[in-house]
C-alpha cells in the first residue's frame, strides 16, 4: 500500500495539485534543483513545470503547463527532474479474461522511471474499471496501473470486444489532462481559459487544430508532434475513431493512428521522439551510475493477416478484414557496468563512465602511474544478453494460422531458423494467445506453438466463440469491489440483492495437458515479469485468487458485525409491509439495475443501465452504458433456478429485449449498445426498436460491422415528443411486443438532444425516467401520477451550485420532482462517483414526500411488490457503509486525492455541458 506523499513548505494551493498529480498521473518523486526534496515518491513525463529554488520561498516562476501538458521543462534555471528509485521493470498484466463481463485488455508495462509508457492490447468494455480494480487488488507489488499511463493501444481487430472501452478511456484521459492543466493554471495565476483561447486562437500547438476543431474528429495528420495516444490497429481503425465525433470530441487530444503493417523501428516520428527524450535527459545532466540500468525501449511490429470473417448473422455475407498480431521486442540488453572494475583501472568517475557504457573507449592519465592509459568497453562492461521478445497472437481461425506461419518475424523465433552458433539478437520469452480454445487445441496449432521451442511460455486468453461458450463457462468478473458489494447486500435481502456467483481458480495457473508446451491459463490480474532478468517469468504472487474461498464468509461476518442483517430482519418481521417475495404471482415484471454510477469510472458502480421486464416476459433497456450486457449475464445467472438451462435462458432473455431507450448522446449512456446488438443479432434476425438521439444512429451507420446496422429499427427521440400532435412512430410495435400503450420523450436540460421518457403499460404501470438532467417541471407535468419515477441524483444536498453548473440534479431536487409529479414511488440512481457505495439522504427529504424512496445499487432487482420493502431497507443498507467510510474506502491507494477533486465533476463527459 502506497503511503500518502509528505509535503513540506509547498506554496498554498499547490499541495492539493501535487496530491492530484500523484494519485492520478503517477507522479512518484519530485526533486527541485537547488532545494531539498519535497516529495519522495517518481515523475510523470506529461508534466511540464517550474518551481522555486528553495522549498520555502514563493515561486518566481509559478507552475505552468504548456497547452498539451506534455514535456518536461528544460529551459528554466530550476526544473523538475526524475530521480531513479528502482531498477527498470517490464511486465505483462492481464486485467480481465475474454469470457468475463469485461473483455480482455492486456497491458505491457514498460516500467522505465523516465517515461512510464504502457502498451495496452485491446480495450474492451470495463477496461477503466479493471485498471481501478487492479490498483487495489493486485498483490504483485508492481505499483498502481493507471489509465493515464497508457499512451499506446494495439487492436487485434475492430469489434465490441476490442474497442468497446476505447472511447471512454480516451474521454477520461483527455479530461484528466485538461482538468489538471486548468487547476495548475488557476493556481499559478495563468490566463483564464477564455483569455487563453483568445491568445492561441487559430492554432492547437501546431497540431492541425483548426481542421480538427471543424470536424471534431480524433484522427489528425502526422505532423511529428508527440501524440497523447498512439493506436495501432487493422484497416478500419481510423474510420472507427472518426465515427466517434458524433458523440464525443476533444479538440486538444491528439491521437496518432497506424493501420495494417507497422514497425515502430521504421517510424521516423517515433524515432525522433525517442531522440528528443534522450536529449532532454542528457541536457539535465543525468549520468550513469554503476548499479543502475539504462532505459530499455520495446519496439513493436504488427502482423496483419487478411481473411474472410464470417458474420454472426446468417443473412450477412462474410467480409474481408484483418486479424492483427503483434511482436514486442527490445534491442540486445547491454551488460552491467562494472564499477569495481572501472575503479580498479583508475577510470575517473563522470562522463568517461557514460562513454564506456555506450561502447566507446576512453583515454586518460592514470593517477597512479602518471601515464596515458586507454580502457575499452570490454574491460568494464559485462557481456550483453539477447533482447526480449513477446508475441501477441490473434488467431480466430485456421485460415489466419496459415498466414501466421508465413510471417518472417514469427518464423525468426522458431527453432532451426538460424544455422550459425551466434546468439540470437532477440529471444522469444512468451506468446500470448487471443485464440478460441477449439483452435488452440487443434494438432496443427499445437505443432506450430511447439516449433518455437520449450523455453517459450504460452499464456492463453481463450475468447468465447459463441454465446453458448460464454454462458456455459463460469463467468469470472475482475471487479472484485463490485462483486463484494453485491455479496454484502445479499445478506440484507437476497431477493432484492441476488448474490453474484463466484469462480475459484486452482493455485497453479500452469496447465499440464501432457504436451511439451508450457501453458499458463490467463486469469484476472495475472502478472508475467519480463525484466529484470533475474525475476523473469510468471509472478507467483499474482496467482493468488482474488476470490478467495473465505471471501463470502468474511463478507458475511462484516455484514453481521455492522448490524445491517439484524436490522433488516427486524424490518421484514414487523409485518407492516409486503415482503416483496410473492413467488405465486404471475407477473414477470422486474427492474434490474446494471449500472448506477455517473460517467467517471468507479470500482463499486458501473455506468448507467436498466433492464425493464414486462408481464409477458419481453423487455426493454433504459440506457445501455459500457458493460451492460456483462452485468445482465451475471445477474441472470445468479437468479437462475437450478432446473433451468442457462444457455436457453440467456438466449431467451437476449432475444426478449425488444426495445432500447437512450436518453442522450453522452458515451456513458450508450457505449454498451455495440455488444448488445452484436450478440443479439447472433441468435435472432428480428431487429429491436432503438429509440435514441440521432447522434447515435450516425455513429452506428458508420460502424464497420454490417450486422449491427441491420439489427435495429431507428426512432429519433425528437420524433416521439409529447407535443399533442404525433405519437411514437413505433407505437404499434411497442404495444404488440411489450404491451406499452404510450412512450413519449420530453426534452430536458443537460446537453444537446437530452430527453426524459414517460412509458405507460409497463409491469410497474406508468414509469418515468429522467435520464441526466436538471429538475424539469415539464417532465413532472407529462409524468403526472406516475407509478414509478427513476430519477438521477448525481449530487448530494447542498451542492446545488455544482448541479447547476454540471446540469445534473441533487437528491433533494429529485425528491421534489417526485412530489410535483405525484409519483407513487421513487428510485434514485446515477450517483456521483464521490459516493462509491451509498449517497447521503437527508431525513427532511424523506419527511417531505412520504412515498417509497429507493437507493439503487448495481445488480438490484425490483419487482412491483418489492418497492416498499426496498425503501424501508435503506437504513439497514446504510449500516453496511458507515459515513466514515463512504468516501474514503473507494478512494483507495489509487486515487484518494483524485476523487476529492476530480470526481466532484460528475462525468468527464459532461464537463463542458454540450459535447
Amino acid at each position: 500500500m502506497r503511503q500518502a506523499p509528505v509535503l513540506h513548505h509547498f506554496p498554498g494551493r499547490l499541495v492539493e495539485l501535487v496530491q492530484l498529480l500523484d494519485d492520478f498521473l503517477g507522479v512518484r518523486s519530485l526533486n527541485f534543483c537547488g532545494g531539498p526534496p519535497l516529495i519522495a515518491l517518481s515523475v510523470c513525463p506529461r508534466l511540464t513545470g517550474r518551481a522555486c529554488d528553495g522549498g520555502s520561498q514563493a515561486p518566481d516562476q509559478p507552475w505552468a503547463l504548456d497547452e498539451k501538458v506534455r514535456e518536461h521543462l528544460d529551459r528554466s534555471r530550476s526544473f523538475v527532474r526524475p530521480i531513479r528509485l528502482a531498477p527498470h521493470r517490464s511486465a505483462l498484466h492481464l486485467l480481465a479474461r475474454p469470457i468475463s463481463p469485461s473483455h480482455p485488455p492486456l497491458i505491457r508495462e514498460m516500467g522505465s522511471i523516465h517515461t512510464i509508457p504502457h502498451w495496452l492490447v485491446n480495450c474492451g468494455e470495463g477496461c477503466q474499471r479493471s485498471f481501478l480494480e487492479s490498483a487495489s487488488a493486485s498483490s504483485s507489488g508492481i505499483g498502481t496501473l493507471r489509465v493515464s499511463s497508457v499512451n499506446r493501444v494495439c487492436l487485434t481487430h475492430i469489434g465490441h470486444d476490442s474497442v468497446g472501452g476505447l472511447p471512454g478511456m480516451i474521454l477520461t484521459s483527455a479530461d484528466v489532462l485538461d482538468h489538471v492543466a486548468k487547476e495548475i493554471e488557476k493556481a499559478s495565476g495563468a490566463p483564464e481559459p477564455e483569455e487563453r483561447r483568445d491568445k492561441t486562437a487559430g492554432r492547437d500547438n501546431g497540431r492541425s487544430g483548426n481542421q480538427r476543431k471543424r470536424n471534431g474528429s480524433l484522427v489528425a495528420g502526422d505532423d511529428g508532434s508527440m501524440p497523447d495516444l498512439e493506436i495501432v490497429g487493422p484497416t478500419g481503425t481510423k474510420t472507427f475513431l472518426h465515427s466517434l465525433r458524433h458523440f464525443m470530441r476533444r479538440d486538444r487530444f491528439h491521437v496518432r493512428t497506424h493501420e495494417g503493417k507497422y514497425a515502430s523501428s521504421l517510424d521516423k516520428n517515433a524515432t525522433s521522439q525517442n531522440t528528443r527524450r534522450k536529449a532532454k535527459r542528457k541536457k539535465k545532466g543525468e549520468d550513469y551510475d554503476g548499479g543502475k540500468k539504462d532505459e530499455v525501449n520495446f519496439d513493436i511490429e504488427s502482423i496483419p493477416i487478411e481473411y474472410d470473417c464470417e458474420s454472426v448473422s446468417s443473412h450477412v455475407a462474410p467480409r474481408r478484414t484483418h486479424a492483427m498480431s503483434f511482436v514486442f521486442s527490445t534491442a540486445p540488453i547491454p551488460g552491467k557496468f562494472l564499477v569495481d572494475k572501472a575503479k580498479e583501472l583508475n577510470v575517473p568517475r563522470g562522463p568517461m563512465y557514460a562513454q564506456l557504457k555506450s561502447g566507446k573507449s576512453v583515454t586518460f592519465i592514470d593517477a597512479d602511474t602518471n601515464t596515458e592509459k586507454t580502457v575499452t568497453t570490454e574491460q568494464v562492461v559485462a557481456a550483453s544478453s539477447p533482447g526480449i521478445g513477446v508475441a501477441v497472437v490473434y488467431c480466430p481461425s485456421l485460415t489466419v494460422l496459415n498466414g501466421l506461419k508465413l510471417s518472417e518475424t514469427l518464423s525468426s523465433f522458431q527453432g532451426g531458423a538460424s544455422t550459425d552458433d551466434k546468439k540470437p539478437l532477440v529471444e522469444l520469452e512468451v506468446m500470448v494467445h487471443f485464440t478460441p480454445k477449439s483452435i488452440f487445441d487443434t494438432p496443427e496449432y499445437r505443432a506450430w506453438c511447439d516449433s518455437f521451442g520449450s523455453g517459450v511460455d504460452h499464456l492463453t486468453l481463450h475468447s468465447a466463440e459463441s454465446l453458448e461458450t460464454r454462458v456455459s463457462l463460469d463467468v469470472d468478473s475482475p471487479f472484485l469491489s463490485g462483486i463484494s458489494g453485491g455479496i454484502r447486500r445479499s445478506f440484507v435481502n437476497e431477493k432484492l440483492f441476488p448474490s453474484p456467483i463466484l469462480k475459484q481458480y486452482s493455485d497453479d495457473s500452469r496447465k499440464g495437458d501432457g504436451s511439451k508446451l508450457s501453458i499458463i491459463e490467463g486469469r484476472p490480474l495475472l502478472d508475467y515479469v519480463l525484466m529484470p532478468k533475474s525475476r523473469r517469468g510468471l509472478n507467483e504472487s499474482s496467482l493468488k485468487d482474488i476470490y478467495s474461498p473465505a471471501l463470502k464468509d468474511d463478507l458475511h461476518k462484516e455484514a453481521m458485525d455492522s448490524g445491517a442483517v439484524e436490522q433488516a430482519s427486524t424490518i421484514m418481521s414487523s409485518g407492516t409491509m409486503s415482503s416483496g417475495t410473492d413467488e405465486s404471482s404471475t407477473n414477470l415484471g422486474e427492474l434490474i439495475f446494471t449500472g448506477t454510477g455517473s460517467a467517471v469510472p468507479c470500482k463499486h458502480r458501473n455506468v448507467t443501465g436498466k433492464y425493464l421486464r414486462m408481464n409477458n416476459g419481453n423487455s426493454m433497456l433504459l440506457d445501455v452504458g459500457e458493460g451492460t450486457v456483462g452485468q445482465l449475464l451475471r445477474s441472470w445467472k445468479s437468479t437462475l433456478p437450478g432446473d433451468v438451462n442457462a444457455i436457453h435462458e440467456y438466449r431467451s432473455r437476449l432475444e426478449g429485449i425488444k426495445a432500447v431507450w437512450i436518453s442522450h448522446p453522452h458515451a456513458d449512456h450508450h457505449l454498451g449498445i455495440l455488444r448488445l446488438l452484436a450478440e443479439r443479432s447472433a441468435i435472432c434476425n428480428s431487429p429491436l426498436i432503438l429509440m435514441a438521439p440521432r447522434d447515435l444512429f450516425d455513429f452506428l451507420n458508420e460502424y464497420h460491422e454490417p450486422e449491427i446496422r441491420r439489427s435495429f429499427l431507428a426512432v429519433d427521440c425528437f420524433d416521439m415528443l409529447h407535443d399533442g400532435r404525433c405519437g411514437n412512430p413505433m407505437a404499434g410495435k411497442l404495444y404488440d411486443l411489450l404491451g406499452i400503450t404510450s412512450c413519449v420523450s420530453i426534452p430536458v436540460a443537460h446537453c444537446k438532444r437530452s430527453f426524459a421518457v414517460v412509458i405507460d403499460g409497463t409491469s410497474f404501470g406508468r414509469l418515468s425516467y429522467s435520464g441526466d438532467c436538471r429538475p424539469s417541471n415539464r417532465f413532472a407535468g407529462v409524468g403526472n401520477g406516475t407509478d414509478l419515477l427513476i430519477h438521477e441524483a448525481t449530487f448530494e444536498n447542498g451542492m446545488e451550485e455544482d448541479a447547476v453548473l454540471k446540469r445534473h440534479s441533487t437528491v433533494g431536487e429529485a425528491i421534489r420532482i417526485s412530489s410535483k409529479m405525484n409519483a407513487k414511488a421513487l428510485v434514485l440512481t446515477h450517483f456521483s462517483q464521490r459516493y462509491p457505495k451509498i449517497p447521503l439522504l437527508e431525513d427532511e427529504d424523506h419527511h417531505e414526500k412520504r412515498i417509497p424512496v429507493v437507493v439503487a445499487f448495481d445488480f438490484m432487482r425490483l419487482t412491483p411488490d418489492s418497492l416498499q420493502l426496498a425503501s424501508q431497507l435503506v437504513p439497514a443498507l446504510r449500516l453496511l457503509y458507515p459515513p466514515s467510510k463512504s468516501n474514503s474506502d473507494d478512494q483507495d491507494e489509487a486515487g484518494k486525492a483524485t476523487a476529492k477533486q476530480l470526481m466532484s465533476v460528475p462525468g468527464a463527459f459532461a464537463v463542458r455541458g454540450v459535447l
Side-chain angles (χ1 to χ4, degrees):
M1 180 180 297
R2 295 194 296 115
Q3 294 182 351
V6 179
L7 308 175
H8 299 289
H9 308 297
F10 210 83
R13 187 176 168 85
L14 294 184
V15 171
E16 297 176 357
L17 294 175
V18 171
Q19 288 176 333
L20 185 147
L21 290 169
D22 165 39
D23 287 321
F24 208 95
L25 293 183
V27 175
R28 299 176 191 164
S29 177
L30 299 179
N31 185 43
F32 288 72
C33 295
L38 298 182
I39 310 170
L41 286 167
S42 96
V43 96
C44 173
R46 297 175 184 267
L47 181 64
T48 302
R50 292 180 170 90
C52 54
D53 290 336
S56 60
Q57 301 297 319
D60 55 353
Q61 286 285 354
W63 280 70
L65 297 186
D66 66 359
E67 291 183 9
K68 298 303 296 179
V69 200
R70 177 79 55 276
E71 301 173 353
H72 291 296
L73 178 67
D74 55 14
R75 292 187 293 272
S76 174
R77 61 187 174 88
S78 57
F79 55 85
V80 180
R81 73 179 182 187
I83 302 176
R84 293 175 178 267
L85 296 179
H88 179 85
R89 185 187 192 280
S90 188
L92 295 174
H93 310 291
L94 176 62
L95 298 183
R97 295 184 69 205
I99 60 171
S100 70
S102 171
H103 287 281
L106 175 79
I107 189 167
R108 186 196 61 72
E109 177 200 16
M110 184 175 141
S112 164
I113 298 300
H114 282 302
T115 57
I116 322 179
H118 290 157
W119 279 98
L120 183 69
V121 180
N122 287 344
C123 188
E125 290 186 335
C127 183
Q128 293 185 81
R129 291 187 75 197
S130 298
F131 269 96
L132 292 174
E133 196 64 63
S134 72
S136 58
S138 177
S139 58
S140 57
I142 57 177
T144 300
L145 296 176
R146 295 180 176 86
V147 172
S148 59
S149 66
V150 173
N151 53 16
R152 298 179 179 93
V153 176
C154 295
L155 301 176
T156 59
H157 61 290
I158 302 297
H160 68 87
D161 53 342
S162 62
V163 299
L166 185 58
M169 193 186 80
I170 291 174
L171 285 165
T172 298
S173 298
D175 287 318
V176 166
L177 291 177
D178 187 59
H179 179 77
V180 172
K182 289 179 180 178
E183 286 297 304
I184 294 179
E185 287 171 354
K186 190 186 301 181
S188 64
E192 291 298 319
E194 291 77 14
E195 285 184 64
R196 198 171 185 87
R197 282 196 292 270
D198 291 340
K199 293 185 178 183
T200 59
R203 64 184 179 89
D204 191 10
N205 203 25
R207 299 184 178 182
S208 306
N210 289 337
Q211 178 183 358
R212 294 178 68 230
K213 287 182 179 180
R214 281 198 300 271
N215 58 31
S217 175
L218 290 169
V219 181
D222 291 336
D223 53 15
S225 59
M226 293 180 66
D228 298 277
L229 187 67
E230 199 164 5
I231 299 177
V232 182
T235 302
T237 301
K238 291 183 179 179
T239 301
F240 171 75
L241 291 174
H242 186 60
S243 70
L244 302 182
R245 73 192 185 281
H246 294 298
F247 61 86
M248 59 176 269
R249 59 180 296 168
R250 293 296 182 268
D251 293 327
R252 294 178 60 185
F253 194 79
H254 182 207
V255 177
R256 178 178 293 145
T257 308
H258 311 281
E259 290 188 339
K261 186 68 176 177
Y262 173 75
S264 60
S265 60
L266 303 178
D267 184 354
K268 63 179 181 180
N269 286 330
T271 303
S272 65
Q273 289 159 21
N274 288 335
T275 302
R276 289 202 298 270
R277 290 190 185 104
K278 291 178 182 178
K280 289 183 180 185
R281 292 196 295 275
K282 185 175 181 181
K283 214 185 257 189
K284 295 176 182 180
E286 296 170 9
D287 56 4
Y288 292 91
D289 200 348
K292 295 171 184 174
K293 298 193 176 184
D294 235 346
E295 176 181 339
V296 178
N297 291 309
F298 277 78
D299 288 323
I300 178 178
E301 182 176 348
S302 63
I303 306 173
I305 305 297
E306 192 174 16
Y307 75 111
D308 288 325
C309 178
E310 295 290 337
S311 173
V312 294
S313 300
S314 57
H315 59 283
V316 178
R319 69 179 188 280
R320 200 71 177 165
T321 187
H322 285 100
M324 296 283 284
S325 297
F326 302 92
V327 171
F328 300 92
S329 62
T330 71
I333 300 173
K336 180 180 179 181
F337 185 77
L338 307 174
V339 178
D340 292 339
K341 189 66 176 177
K343 290 180 179 179
E344 182 182 324
L345 295 171
N346 287 334
V347 179
R349 292 183 64 89
M352 288 191 181
Y353 277 26
Q355 293 177 43
L356 289 166
K357 179 75 173 177
S358 63
K360 299 177 182 178
S361 300
V362 297
T363 300
F364 58 94
I365 302 299
D366 191 315
D368 293 340
T369 64
N370 202 29
T371 59
E372 188 175 80
K373 186 176 185 178
T374 298
V375 175
T376 63
T377 296
E378 290 75 13
Q379 292 177 275
V380 294
V381 177
S384 62
S385 57
I388 300 170
V390 177
V392 177
V393 177
Y394 174 63
C395 185
S397 69
L398 291 177
T399 302
V400 175
L401 174 61
N402 294 330
L404 292 171
K405 290 179 178 180
L406 300 177
S407 167
E408 294 182 3
T409 302
L410 289 173
S411 297
S412 66
F413 297 119
Q414 292 176 318
S418 177
T419 57
D420 52 37
D421 295 331
K422 293 182 179 179
K423 277 188 177 182
L425 294 178
V426 179
E427 287 184 347
L428 187 64
E429 299 291 338
V430 60
M431 295 185 73
V432 183
H433 300 271
F434 286 84
T435 305
K437 193 173 187 306
S438 61
I439 300 295
F440 185 84
D441 288 339
T442 60
E444 188 177 358
Y445 195 94
R446 288 296 185 99
W448 179 66
C449 292
D450 207 24
S451 68
F452 291 95
S454 59
V456 177
D457 285 330
H458 296 269
L459 176 60
T460 60
L461 305 177
H462 297 314
S463 56
E465 304 167 77
S466 62
L467 294 179
E468 287 76 8
T469 305
R470 189 182 305 280
V471 177
S472 61
L473 293 173
D474 289 328
V475 181
D476 56 330
S477 172
F479 310 133
L480 175 62
S481 300
I483 297 301
S484 297
I487 295 174
R488 284 191 193 96
R489 293 188 292 273
S490 70
F491 297 128
V492 173
N493 187 290
E494 195 164 10
K495 294 294 183 181
L496 293 172
F497 308 104
S499 177
I501 298 174
L502 299 182
K503 170 184 171 65
Q504 269 85 44
Y505 290 95
S506 63
D507 293 334
D508 187 7
S509 191
R510 293 186 180 271
K511 298 165 62 177
D513 58 357
S515 70
K516 294 183 294 183
L517 297 179
S518 172
I519 301 175
I520 303 172
E521 179 187 9
R523 63 173 63 179
L525 306 182
L526 183 142
D527 181 35
Y528 188 98
V529 178
L530 300 172
M531 291 185 67
K533 189 174 182 178
S534 59
R535 296 175 55 196
R536 192 171 301 172
L538 189 62
N539 185 347
E540 298 297 332
S541 64
S542 70
L543 296 180
K544 182 180 178 181
D545 194 352
I546 62 174
Y547 296 113
S548 65
L551 176 62
K552 198 161 188 176
D553 293 336
D554 293 341
L555 295 174
H556 182 262
K557 184 178 185 304
E558 290 179 17
M560 294 296 295
D561 292 345
S562 69
V565 176
E566 181 180 357
Q567 181 164 345
S569 299
T570 302
I571 292 171
M572 289 184 288
S573 62
S574 64
T576 60
M577 66 194 72
S578 169
S579 67
T581 59
D582 185 6
E583 301 294 342
S584 63
S585 174
T586 58
N587 189 336
L588 298 177
E590 63 179 356
L591 179 63
I592 298 175
F593 288 83
T594 60
T596 56
S598 61
V600 177
C602 175
K603 295 185 303 180
H604 298 278
R605 294 184 185 270
N606 192 41
V607 291
T608 302
K610 289 156 282 292
Y611 169 84
L612 176 62
R613 196 181 192 193
M614 306 302 177
N615 293 334
N616 62 3
N618 289 337
S619 59
M620 71 180 296
L621 298 181
L622 303 174
D623 281 333
V624 192
E626 184 180 327
T628 292
V629 175
Q631 296 278 91
L632 275 177
L633 173 57
R634 177 166 289 281
S635 177
W636 288 337
K637 290 195 72 173
S638 67
T639 58
L640 198 64
D643 58 345
V644 175
N645 183 281
I647 297 174
H648 179 270
E649 179 70 9
Y650 182 66
R651 291 177 62 92
S652 175
R653 290 269 192 147
L654 201 58
E655 187 175 358
I657 299 176
K658 303 299 184 182
V660 174
W661 161 270
I662 292 176
S663 60
H664 64 287
H666 282 168
D668 60 311
H669 286 252
H670 67 72
L671 280 182
I673 192 67
L674 293 178
R675 180 178 177 184
L676 173 68
L677 295 178
E679 295 204 356
R680 190 178 182 277
S681 63
I683 63 172
C684 66
N685 295 330
S686 60
L688 57 74
I689 300 170
L690 180 56
M691 299 168 280
R694 67 172 183 265
D695 313 69
L696 185 62
F697 302 127
D698 293 336
F699 163 65
L700 292 175
N701 288 333
E702 293 184 21
Y703 190 66
H704 85 299
E705 293 187 15
E707 58 265 30
I708 294 293
R709 295 193 290 270
R710 297 167 180 259
S711 61
F712 63 88
L713 302 174
V715 180
D716 191 333
C717 290
F718 188 80
D719 295 332
M720 46 187 290
L721 292 176
H722 179 79
D723 56 8
R725 292 176 296 178
C726 61
N728 192 316
M730 289 288 172
K733 281 185 171 293
L734 288 173
Y735 179 77
D736 293 339
L737 297 173
L738 298 167
I740 291 175
T741 57
S742 173
C743 182
V744 297
S745 61
I746 303 95
V748 291
H750 180 58
C751 70
K752 192 175 183 179
R753 289 186 282 277
S754 293
F755 300 91
V757 65
V758 175
I759 308 171
D760 288 315
T762 76
S763 53
F764 290 81
R766 168 171 283 192
L767 184 145
S768 301
Y769 171 48
S770 68
D772 287 5
C773 68
R774 292 290 299 141
S776 170
N777 290 329
R778 184 178 181 186
F779 174 47
V782 174
N784 185 46
T786 190
D787 295 286
L788 176 60
L789 169 62
I790 305 172
H791 203 288
E792 70 122 288
T794 304
F795 287 104
E796 65 179 333
N797 296 328
M799 298 186 68
E800 285 75 15
E801 292 182 1
D802 295 274
V804 170
L805 178 64
K806 311 305 178 187
R807 301 182 185 179
H808 284 286
S809 300
T810 66
V811 171
E813 287 172 333
I815 292 176
R816 285 190 285 277
I817 285 295
S818 72
S819 179
K820 292 181 179 180
M821 192 179 280
N822 294 311
K824 297 181 177 63
L826 169 65
V827 178
L828 300 175
T829 187
H830 197 271
F831 302 112
S832 169
Q833 306 295 22
R834 69 183 297 142
Y835 323 119
K837 295 171 179 176
I838 191 168
L840 296 175
L841 294 177
E842 306 230 348
D843 290 337
E844 54 267 26
D845 289 329
H846 289 281
H847 296 315
E848 179 182 330
K849 186 62 180 176
R850 298 183 181 280
I851 62 170
V853 178
V854 180
V855 176
F857 289 92
D858 288 15
F859 304 118
M860 184 172 74
R861 177 181 177 269
L862 294 176
T863 64
D865 296 331
S866 66
L867 289 170
Q868 183 69 29
L869 174 62
S871 173
Q872 293 296 323
L873 286 177
V874 169
L877 292 170
R878 191 175 301 286
L879 294 177
L880 290 176
Y881 312 114
S884 60
K885 295 183 179 180
S886 61
N887 287 340
S888 62
D889 194 38
D890 178 66
Q891 326 308 341
D892 53 23
E893 304 86 351
K896 294 180 181 178
T898 307
K900 292 180 181 177
Q901 298 189 40
L902 181 60
M903 300 308 184
S904 62
V905 180
F909 311 99
V911 168
R912 294 173 181 81
V914 179
L915 294 184

